[in-house]
Amino acid sequence: MSLILSIANQKGGVGKTTTAINLASALAKYGKKVLLIDLDYQANATTCMGIDRGSFKYSIFDCFTREAALEEVLLKTKNKRIDVLPAKTLVRGIEEKIIVDFNRDYILHSLLRDIRDDYEYILIDCPPSLGYITTNALMASDGVLVPVQCEFLAMDGLTQLLNTVRFVQQKKKVNNETLTIFGVLMTMLDGRVTSGYQVVNEIKTYFNEKVFQTIIPRNITCSNATFYGVPVTVFSPKSKSAVSYRKLAREVIQRNEQWRFCKKKSYRFNQRKWNSRFRKRRGSWD
Ligand SMILES: Nc1ncnc2c1ncn2[C@@H]1O[C@H](COP(=O)(O)OP(=O)(O)O)[C@@H](O)[C@H]1O
Ligand SMILES: [Mg+2]
């Protein structure tokens, strides 16, 4: 059973795409089969996975408008464990096209139904907006991962995102499905700037244990990797950002197991029981 995660925050430049590609790459390193869906018109995730935008005919948006089938869009990457549903730039009026679709909020949900079991993790890189595309991503997801940049006014706009999440949660409840806030990821922490740590504390008081222990530091290697069209975990596996993205992947895997375990047993989660049950595995990772 796969876990579908939307990486969403309507603020631009907070590290959504960077997190999507590096988390995909790190999860693949731990043997997981991953599908990366690029839902941003700027197609940054597609480019950063080393896919030339001119090398394919159809993008995921053609599936939204039903001009292409999913199989025609799905691309393999250099990493045999990662497949990509790419985006293309210059897609104009896609929201206008899907607004008339009766099923407009559930298009991605229906598209993924047949292929979701082929993957263990499906990561969706959302656009920096809260329109129909993001609603589609959330509707198709089990959880949302929110990257938040460690800087002043980080909380700004999060309320709107949470309102959208609540709206989707209500709609999903009808079909007996759930959407959880899977985690909040603090990104681009500059160790030299004390206000960064204050932002982390502020976010932690609001989201408590939802905040990942892993914090992604600001690291120039991250931007350089983007330039060469590879995840930083491949470009410079020993760099600070690569190490933190691998740590994040381990946390994601652990939370996923924890989440499934609680869902299956349907009783309240007990951290002590969980620790004693999974301590061995955690030990081998640390
Ligand atoms: N940890 C990091 N350290 C340094 N630069 C980063 C880091 N994460 C992202 N960046 C850079 O910040 C910019 C915005 O990141 P991106 O992932 O594209 O944000 P979003 O998808 O939210 O718009 C990119 O140029 C990226 O290379
Ligand atoms: Mg992006």
Side-chain angles (χ1 to χ4, degrees), residues 17-274:
T17 305
T18 310
T19 301
I21 57 167
N22 286 302
L23 183 58
S25 164
L27 285 169
K29 192 180 173 298
Y30 289 117
K32 307 293 177 193
K33 183 99 171 80
V34 185
L35 173 66
L36 177 64
I37 307 179
D38 188 356
L39 282 190
D40 192 352
Y41 316 115
Q42 292 163 37
N44 290 344
T46 306
T47 317
C48 292
M49 284 310 292
I51 299 167
D52 179 5
R53 287 182 216 169
S55 67
F56 57 92
K57 190 173 173 197
Y58 295 116
S59 76
I60 180 69
F61 299 118
D62 295 306
C63 296
F64 272 85
T65 55
R66 303 178 206 278
E67 282 160 54
L70 209 61
E71 306 80 64
E72 293 176 278
V73 178
L74 197 69
L75 295 178
K76 301 257 172 249
T77 63
K78 283 174 200 151
N79 188 327
K80 67 176 190 317
R81 293 207 183 95
I82 307 178
D83 290 347
V84 172
L85 284 170
K88 252 196 176 147
T89 39
L90 299 173
V91 186
R92 291 179 61 219
I94 168 89
E95 299 246 347
E96 286 80 9
K97 274 187 189 168
I98 64 171
I99 200 170
V100 293
D101 195 319
F102 178 69
N103 209 18
R104 64 185 170 227
D105 288 337
Y106 294 94
I107 303 174
L108 190 64
H109 185 276
S110 342
L111 285 170
L112 294 183
R113 199 176 296 143
D114 292 339
I115 61 160
R116 75 171 287 173
D117 288 337
D118 298 346
Y119 300 93
E120 288 165 276
Y121 287 86
I122 300 182
L123 304 179
I124 310 176
D125 183 24
C126 291
S129 70
L130 291 174
Y132 286 111
I133 299 288
T134 303
T135 314
N136 258 277
L138 296 177
M139 237 12 144
S141 299
D142 302 305
V144 51
L145 191 159
V146 188
V148 174
Q149 198 177 343
C150 298
E151 62 157 30
F152 186 53
L153 298 179
M155 288 291 276
D156 252 28
L158 276 185
T159 326
Q160 285 135 284
L161 176 67
L162 295 180
N163 284 342
T164 312
V165 169
R166 237 165 266 139
F167 164 78
V168 173
Q169 280 172 334
Q170 293 301 328
K171 279 194 123 182
K172 278 177 87 94
K173 225 184 226 171
V174 180
N175 297 333
N176 229 356
E177 291 175 355
T178 50
L179 173 73
T180 59
I181 295 183
F182 191 77
V184 176
L185 175 69
M186 304 306 300
T187 62
M188 295 187 235
L189 177 71
D190 191 335
R192 296 162 301 180
V193 185
T194 46
S195 63
Y197 294 101
Q198 285 167 4
V199 175
V200 174
N201 287 336
E202 189 188 351
I203 297 283
K204 275 188 178 165
T205 51
Y206 192 77
F207 289 100
N208 305 313
E209 79 283 357
K210 290 277 179 194
V211 181
F212 285 108
Q213 277 169 16
T214 310
I215 296 178
I216 310 296
R218 184 176 281 284
N219 184 230
I220 192 70
T221 333
C222 223
S223 319
N224 288 346
T226 318
F227 182 77
Y228 289 100
V230 280
V232 70
T233 37
V234 175
F235 178 73
S236 175
K238 287 190 178 149
S239 67
K240 268 188 185 172
S241 12
V243 171
S244 8
Y245 273 112
R246 281 199 298 274
K247 195 171 164 214
L248 173 70
R250 298 197 295 265
E251 243 187 288
V252 167
I253 295 170
Q254 196 180 325
R255 271 192 199 192
N256 183 23
E257 289 177 2
Q258 204 167 314
W259 185 60
R260 297 223 174 273
F261 181 72
C262 298
K263 227 175 138 189
K264 210 160 88 190
K265 295 277 176 193
S266 68
Y267 63 66
R268 282 194 62 172
F269 177 63
N270 181 326
Q271 185 74 51
R272 266 182 44 214
K273 260 191 193 166
W274 167 260

